[in-house]
Amino acid sequence: MKKSLLVFLFALVAIALVACGGGEDGASGEAEEIEVIGEDIEGATELTLWTFAGQHIDFYRDAAERWNEENTDRPITLTAETYPLEQMHNNLLLAVQSGQGGPDIADIEIGQFPNFLRGDIPLEPMNEYVEPILDNAVTSRFENYAKDGNYYGLPTHVGATVMYYNTEIMDEAGVDIDSIQTWDDFVAAGKQVVENTDSMMWNVGTEDWLMDFWPMISQQDSDVFNKDGELILDNQTNIDTLQFLQDVVYKDKIAEVTPGGMNQSEEFYGYFSEGGAASILAPLWYMGRFTDNMPDLEGKIAIRPMPAWEEGGKRSAGMGGTGTVVTKQSENVDLAKEFLAYAKLSEEGNIKLWTVLGFDPPRWDTWESEAVQEDNKYYQFFGDGIFDTLLDVREDINELNFTQYTPDVINEYNTNIAQQTIRSNAQTPQEALEQGAEAVKSQMKK
């Protein structure tokens, strides 16, 4: 049990580091930041908020300040606290189970969320605020934080997975990126890139399935667990997908193993900046990795949908995420729920998810608003077609099926399956996935 718990926590940290830009958080066991907004307002109601991602504080600060300007008769004092990921989730789980010591509002990383949906759920349903806006939202992202018809967490972004193309390399190869509609087209384009340039078309990771295997099976309506929580890691769709990834490296030779094992490593940033490959598969929030770590590529990167597996197939998947909740132990439940809905469900709140954090808002009806279209560093870097791409794929994003054993699958994929099939080419995808499924089943029996 101890070993399983350690693997569980390790894998959850790995998910969170890529999910919402929280990579610099979680280094110590102490609170990393405490900020009080509205502390000088007389008669303000005190609300507390816990998060594991320091950059989220900017968003909540903005929301609290706007709330107090618009609700002078009901001001709040928001104490926003940032903790290391593991500590925050452990403390939150203990607090809600004991009924004391927890916050009014909390961010919960998507991989941790199932831990809070067991037994007597200690979170407040948000249906009265969620249901009226679902027709204008990417509903699958809300389903990730729901159970038995109740919506408990409000998403922070869509996390739509897209392709980033280096247009200089693609132009040199004579490839029109808009002609790449399917994965077969992608392979054909990759052969042109390899033949006509000094670059590879793509990379396949061995330490982060969030950037290839998981979104590629999700767009085919597959996952590693089904909706009933049954392990389906080694189903035929997943075997075929991993076979495709192995083939592009060893058969088609249009891709190579990702330098550093993942596309969020310093080794990879240098490699890609120097033209090592022509494309990256990653969620939209990866834009910040370009602006922060590969600034020399400004004006050279175009964003397009993922290739589909067949004509008319799905061309995206939602990866990563954070669901924000109101705990039942809050002494001001109604106010906390109303403020949270104001911050994350209102049109203005969704616009702020983009303008403050650079995240793709869950409400697609904001994607064409004037405020979202205003010039910023992302449009300057990638051009003005970002939300056109999102509008094209908004119906293609499936919900993900998380269980308490999802971290075991992630660990097994990164440490064994990907190593044996992608890095060393020592096993067939079927062999590796079947072996991996047996390893996870053994963990599930403990």
Side-chain angles (χ1 to χ4, degrees):
M1 288 296 291
K2 290 181 179 179
K3 180 180 178 182
S4 180
L5 179 59
L6 287 173
V7 170
F8 178 81
L9 293 174
F10 175 80
L12 288 176
V13 172
I15 297 175
L17 292 183
V18 297
C20 288
E24 66 266 29
D25 297 321
S28 70
E30 300 178 356
E32 296 172 336
E33 181 179 358
I34 299 177
E35 182 168 340
V36 182
I37 302 100
E39 59 185 322
D40 297 327
I41 300 177
E42 184 176 355
T45 301
E46 295 185 8
L47 295 177
T48 54
L49 179 146
W50 289 1
T51 184
F52 59 88
Q55 69 179 134
H56 291 184
I57 297 295
D58 297 335
F59 173 77
Y60 292 119
R61 181 195 310 113
D62 179 89
E65 290 173 349
R66 287 188 291 109
W67 171 274
N68 287 337
E69 290 175 1
E70 298 173 22
N71 297 275
T72 55
D73 58 331
R74 293 184 300 154
I76 63 172
T77 296
L78 183 68
T79 301
E81 305 177 19
T82 306
Y83 292 93
L85 178 131
E86 181 179 329
Q87 180 194 1
M88 195 218 78
H89 286 92
N90 287 345
N91 289 354
L92 181 62
L93 195 58
L94 290 172
V96 297
Q97 288 175 343
S98 66
Q100 58 185 1
D104 299 284
I105 301 169
D107 280 343
I108 301 178
E109 192 273 324
I110 191 170
Q112 290 265 15
F113 215 90
N115 294 327
F116 296 84
L117 297 180
R118 301 176 187 170
D120 186 11
I121 298 174
L123 311 175
E124 285 288 329
M126 296 291 294
N127 292 45
E128 62 195 285
Y129 298 103
V130 171
E131 290 172 352
I133 62 92
L134 280 180
D135 287 344
N136 297 321
V138 180
T139 58
S140 61
R141 301 309 282 168
F142 289 85
E143 295 298 332
N144 288 327
Y145 310 111
K147 184 176 183 180
D148 298 331
N150 286 322
Y151 298 96
Y152 295 100
L154 305 189
T156 304
H157 60 60
V158 174
T161 302
V162 297
M163 293 297 305
Y164 297 88
Y165 293 104
N166 183 316
T167 55
E168 281 194 343
I169 297 174
M170 300 302 282
D171 289 344
E172 182 183 351
V175 176
D176 175 7
I177 60 174
D178 291 316
S179 70
I180 303 175
Q181 298 294 314
T182 66
W183 283 109
D184 285 342
D185 296 337
F186 183 86
V187 172
K191 291 179 179 179
Q192 283 187 246
V193 168
V194 172
E195 181 179 352
N196 298 324
T197 75
D198 294 327
S199 304
M200 299 298 289
M201 178 62 170
W202 192 34
N203 303 104
V204 180
T206 55
E207 297 179 24
D208 188 1
W209 75 335
L210 197 71
M211 302 297 182
D212 40 56
F213 181 74
W214 205 3
M216 291 171 72
I217 64 173
S218 179
Q219 69 173 146
Q220 300 175 80
D221 302 320
S222 185
D223 206 326
V224 295
F225 290 95
N226 64 20
K227 291 184 182 297
D228 296 322
E230 299 168 334
L231 184 69
I232 56 171
L233 174 63
D234 56 345
N235 70 15
Q236 192 60 50
T237 297
N238 296 355
I239 291 172
D240 291 344
T241 303
L242 188 56
Q243 184 68 64
F244 176 88
L245 292 172
Q246 190 181 58
D247 284 348
V248 294
V249 176
Y250 295 102
K251 177 184 175 183
D252 302 309
K253 300 184 185 302
I254 65 164
E256 57 191 353
V257 177
T258 306
M262 62 172 65
N263 62 21
Q264 297 188 87
S265 65
E266 290 302 321
E267 185 177 350
F268 178 80
Y269 295 143
Y271 160 89
F272 197 82
S273 294
E274 295 170 4
S279 64
I280 295 175
L281 176 67
L284 197 70
W285 47 255
Y286 191 88
M287 290 188 300
R289 305 304 190 264
F290 277 102
T291 57
D292 292 345
N293 301 288
M294 297 175 278
D296 292 343
L297 294 177
E298 180 173 347
K300 301 177 183 179
I301 303 297
I303 296 174
R304 293 295 187 272
M306 293 173 64
W309 287 96
E310 58 187 13
E311 293 289 344
K314 292 179 178 177
R315 302 192 67 196
S316 190
M319 291 287 116
T322 299
T324 312
V325 304
V326 172
T327 66
K328 284 187 174 179
Q329 66 181 257
S330 171
E331 295 182 358
N332 298 283
V333 165
D334 291 339
L335 181 61
K337 290 173 68 173
E338 189 173 354
F339 168 70
L340 179 56
Y342 171 86
K344 299 193 74 175
L345 292 182
S346 67
E347 288 188 37
E348 180 68 15
N350 270 248
I351 289 170
K352 292 291 185 177
L353 286 170
W354 166 252
T355 59
V356 176
L357 296 178
F359 292 166
D360 42 349
R363 283 187 60 159
W364 59 260
D365 62 346
T366 64
W367 296 354
E368 295 181 295
S369 68
E370 290 185 6
V372 165
Q373 298 296 331
E374 288 179 1
D375 190 39
N376 64 16
K377 67 178 182 179
Y378 298 110
Y379 290 125
Q380 293 166 16
F381 199 103
F382 300 99
D384 57 7
I386 297 171
F387 283 92
D388 291 336
T389 297
L390 289 180
L391 286 166
D392 284 345
V393 303
R394 74 171 190 252
E395 302 295 337
D396 292 353
I397 297 172
N398 289 321
E399 63 182 283
L400 302 172
N401 299 317
F402 285 93
T403 78
Q404 68 188 91
Y405 302 106
T406 297
D408 291 301
V409 176
I410 296 171
N411 182 67
E412 182 63 26
Y413 184 88
N414 291 340
T415 59
N416 292 314
I417 296 171
Q419 303 300 324
Q420 292 298 312
T421 57
I422 305 302
R423 183 168 295 282
S424 67
N425 196 29
Q427 286 186 313
T428 68
Q430 182 169 345
E431 290 169 342
L433 287 171
E434 288 178 350
Q435 182 176 308
E438 289 303 314
V440 173
K441 287 175 184 177
S442 68
Q443 292 294 326
M444 295 170 67
K445 293 177 182 178
K446 293 182 178 180

